[in-house]
Amino acid sequence: MRKQTKSELRKISRNLDYFFNLATDEDIKEGRQWYKLANQFCVDVAKEYKTTPLQVASVVSALSPRNRWEQNLKDAKKVFEAIKNGKSPEDIKVCTFHKNKFKAFELAKENIFISEDSPKTYNFVRNIAHLDPSALTIDIWHIRASLKQFKNISNAQIGKLAYRQIKALTIKKANKLGLKGFEYQAILWLSVQNNINKLKH
């Protein structure tokens, strides 16, 4: 996705309104809690393994591809437990790709860090590690909401300029409703998934 024009951004704004208005009371309640619960996990695991919430969030993020959320959290703890016991990546099984498991170990050991060169991952990590209101996760579901189109993951790349534009727009819209950007994004995430068939016509 390239840099968006003003009229394209206005259309995105209307599309986000559309899905926000379809959100149920339950979606709103759950969406407002989602990042708080993820953050509590990062804080608790950081205390348990004498590390930082940022390291925990980074490991969670590395292990997330094709991994259910509950399993993702179990796998993250498994990585820290393995390191504590002097084990290597080959000694444990996790529910994602081998390269992500190896990356998780390197992140947990602070040998590598997630940078702003990977906007989605960087923002997600800051959201769950610190509840950072200036960060916003734009994943495939947020792109679908923005475009009001069903997009496959393979053709939903978003450039850095477009990322910054949609992030700023989303946070501004959230703040007008008295929500944090990440709360608004989580509500949309639930709403789009519940209404995905409306995009498939």
Side-chain angles (χ1 to χ4, degrees):
M1 196 193 279
R2 51 169 177 69
K3 183 181 178 183
Q4 300 292 286
T5 64
K6 280 186 180 174
S7 78
E8 284 170 330
L9 287 170
R10 278 196 295 272
K11 193 172 179 188
I12 287 170
S13 180
R14 287 195 298 273
N15 292 342
L16 297 181
D17 286 341
Y18 171 81
F19 283 107
F20 188 79
N21 288 331
L22 286 175
T24 64
D25 290 342
E26 191 54 40
D27 291 339
I28 292 169
K29 192 175 165 191
E30 195 181 325
R32 292 188 78 160
Q33 283 301 308
W34 197 90
Y35 279 99
K36 288 177 186 143
L37 294 171
N39 171 254
Q40 195 57 56
F41 172 85
C42 293
V43 169
D44 292 346
V45 173
K47 276 184 192 157
E48 189 178 344
Y49 292 98
K50 296 181 175 55
T51 185
T52 66
L54 188 68
Q55 297 318 116
V56 179
S58 299
V59 169
V60 168
S61 177
L63 297 171
S64 68
R66 309 280 167 84
N67 202 349
R68 285 182 307 103
W69 179 244
E70 294 306 320
Q71 187 60 47
N72 190 346
L73 301 184
K74 286 178 190 166
D75 288 347
K77 278 196 79 167
K78 205 186 270 189
V79 166
F80 285 103
E81 187 65 26
I83 290 168
K84 183 178 132 185
N85 294 323
K87 291 182 178 177
S88 64
E90 302 91 305
D91 298 323
I92 66 164
K93 278 191 166 59
V94 296
C95 295
T96 189
F97 306 106
H98 286 315
K99 66 172 190 163
N100 292 76
K101 177 171 68 168
F102 277 76
K103 185 180 177 185
F105 269 74
E106 291 302 296
L107 286 162
K109 293 174 177 178
E110 296 189 72
N111 291 335
I112 59 170
F113 300 90
I114 291 166
S115 77
E116 287 186 83
D117 287 334
S118 310
K120 186 187 88 170
T121 314
Y122 179 81
N123 280 271
F124 178 67
V125 165
R126 296 200 68 78
N127 279 152
I128 66 171
H130 306 305
L131 295 177
D132 181 351
S134 70
L136 187 88
T137 306
I138 300 178
D139 65 354
I140 184 63
W141 295 99
H142 201 74
I143 292 169
R144 287 168 180 163
S146 298
L147 300 178
K148 208 171 161 191
Q149 278 175 16
F150 184 82
K151 285 270 187 190
N152 283 322
I153 284 183
S154 55
N155 65 2
Q157 296 309 312
I158 180 169
K160 287 181 186 173
L161 262 177
Y163 196 107
R164 282 205 293 272
Q165 289 177 300
I166 294 171
K167 172 180 165 177
L169 171 73
T170 306
I171 290 173
K172 190 176 172 187
K173 289 178 75 63
N175 292 345
K176 278 185 180 171
L177 298 170
L179 296 167
K180 300 277 197 304
F182 55 78
E183 292 174 325
Y184 183 78
Q185 178 255 320
I187 293 164
L188 287 174
W189 190 86
L190 292 162
S191 174
V192 179
Q193 293 196 53
N194 292 340
N195 294 286
I196 193 68
N197 290 333
K198 291 184 171 67
L199 298 180
K200 286 184 175 174
H201 48 71

